[in-house]
Amino acid sequence: NYKTLQGAVDSVSDGTIILLQPGPTTYGDVVIKKRVSIIGAGYFLHHNPDPTSQATPQASVITRIFFDTASNGSYVTGLSITAPISSGTNYRIHFNYTSNVTMSRCLVENLGGYVSAARSSSITIKQCFFNGGGNNATIVFSNNATGIDFMNNIFSISQYNSHILPTESFTNYTAAVLFKNNVMFNLSNPTYYPSTLTFSNNVIFQTNGSGMINCAAAINNVGNATYSASGPNITNAVLANTLVLTSEPGVTSADGQYRLKPGSPAIGYGQGGVDCGAFGGNPSEKYELSGIAEFVPNIYYLNVPTVGGSSGGLPVHIKVRANQ
């Protein structure tokens, strides 16, 4: 019904569910100032086997998303936040003066930065795939950003020098940020108020450097990272023995390669005996291949003949997963 996501958000009433159809172009930037739910088709839709796929492999693409005042309670899932912009360096996702917002199962490409949160609380970012190849793919928190939870995400960053930066004012140390059950490549926190960060049940590897993760707590993480906080962590894990990765025969999935390898030291090492990494932890929060959106069915097989007959009609074959 609309050509841009902004046009849809501006036109609907508070509490509306917006289904964002897949297509070859972007729906643009969007600033959200009301409570809405936005549901897209997912991503990597040709990478994984049925039923974690779509019969139409195109994604629901936007450029950037801003959660502003009055967007409290919004829910976004299944988007590809990847479209290029003509100039400038900007964050893909902004939270400002909002609370109780959830973003799940989205693909986020580096645009100089991933996430910026200021003056916001109770923000959940889960089951997303953060992809990037450049330096300074930062995540920034400032000005009373509290209750920010990153859970069961994959951060696939090919170059070192990408940072988590909680930059509170010099007199205010109230930011509270949790990273739990993520797979994290080449993210570190070299400076800026480490007392605000907690890491648990993550698989963390520094492949192009040895950046320190400065934090208040580091508990049951696996990888080769070093931490400023003492705790039970495995810091001498070998990457080839921990994750499946594309070096394994037959592995072609961009996100499936980050599953734990049989015999991985991260299996059962998390708090409470759960697996570390994006595919471990709470069963309801585990990373979902291809970012298939929550709450709506996906048609993963569709066969529609071009010709029908008066006796046999048009025999359409559809396979659907409910996702309830």
Side-chain angles (χ1 to χ4, degrees):
N1 299 330
Y2 304 95
K3 293 182 178 180
T4 66
L5 181 55
Q6 188 67 66
V9 170
D10 291 345
S11 300
V12 301
S13 59
D14 195 75
T16 296
I17 297 173
I18 299 172
L19 300 180
L20 197 62
Q21 296 296 324
T25 59
T26 177
Y27 287 98
D29 292 351
V30 60
V31 179
I32 299 176
K33 295 186 177 182
K34 62 182 67 171
R35 179 175 59 87
V36 293
S37 295
I38 303 172
I39 302 175
Y43 52 88
F44 298 152
L45 297 173
H46 60 292
H47 285 228
N48 295 298
D50 298 341
T52 52
S53 63
Q54 298 273 17
T56 299
Q58 292 177 323
S60 306
V61 182
I62 67 170
T63 306
R64 292 172 296 189
I65 187 166
F66 301 76
F67 296 94
D68 213 332
T69 306
S71 65
N72 303 31
S74 292
Y75 200 107
V76 174
T77 184
L79 304 186
S80 179
I81 312 174
T82 60
I85 62 171
S86 58
S87 62
T89 300
N90 296 274
Y91 286 85
R92 288 287 191 185
I93 307 165
H94 300 254
F95 298 94
N96 187 48
Y97 286 109
T98 189
S99 63
N100 298 308
V101 174
T102 298
M103 171 169 283
S104 76
R105 305 185 186 187
C106 292
L107 173 62
V108 185
E109 294 278 2
N110 179 28
L111 191 67
Y114 290 125
V115 177
S116 173
R119 298 170 290 273
S120 296
S121 62
S122 300
I123 306 298
T124 300
I125 301 161
K126 63 178 184 176
Q127 302 166 302
C128 295
F129 192 102
F130 292 84
N131 193 31
N135 288 339
N136 298 314
T138 53
I139 299 171
V140 172
F141 308 97
S142 63
N143 299 327
N144 298 310
T146 60
I148 314 294
D149 293 344
F150 280 80
M151 302 186 301
N152 297 87
N153 302 290
I154 297 173
F155 296 86
S156 178
I157 303 170
S158 61
Q159 292 187 7
Y160 178 64
N161 196 29
S162 297
H163 299 143
I164 304 165
L165 301 176
T167 55
E168 287 293 290
S169 67
F170 290 103
T171 58
N172 192 344
Y173 295 85
T174 59
V177 183
L178 170 67
F179 286 84
K180 183 177 181 181
N181 273 104
N182 303 286
V183 173
M184 306 173 70
F185 275 69
N186 298 320
L187 274 173
S188 64
N189 175 42
T191 54
Y192 301 103
Y193 310 108
S195 62
T196 63
L197 297 175
T198 297
F199 292 81
S200 65
N201 297 5
N202 301 290
V203 174
I204 305 176
F205 278 96
Q206 309 286 4
T207 60
N208 297 300
S210 57
M212 172 72 72
I213 294 181
N214 292 287
C215 54
I219 306 166
N220 293 76
N221 301 289
V222 175
N224 66 353
T226 55
Y227 310 90
S228 62
S230 60
N233 299 288
I234 296 176
T235 59
N236 61 348
V238 178
L239 179 58
N241 297 332
T242 304
L243 300 174
V244 173
L245 297 182
T246 52
S247 60
E248 296 295 314
V251 176
T252 59
S253 168
D255 49 0
Q257 64 176 316
Y258 293 98
R259 290 172 294 186
L260 298 182
K261 193 172 185 177
S264 169
I267 295 175
Y269 185 75
Q271 290 178 292
V274 302
D275 291 348
C276 296
F279 295 88
N282 187 329
S284 65
E285 304 291 352
K286 292 182 179 181
Y287 182 89
E288 176 73 13
L289 290 172
S290 301
I292 298 297
E294 300 176 87
F295 313 126
V296 295
N298 63 297
I299 299 173
Y300 61 90
Y301 179 86
L302 178 64
N303 183 13
V304 183
T306 57
V307 177
S310 58
S311 59
L314 192 68
V316 177
H317 187 186
I318 302 175
K319 294 181 182 180
V320 183
R321 187 173 68 166
N323 299 319
Q324 295 181 348

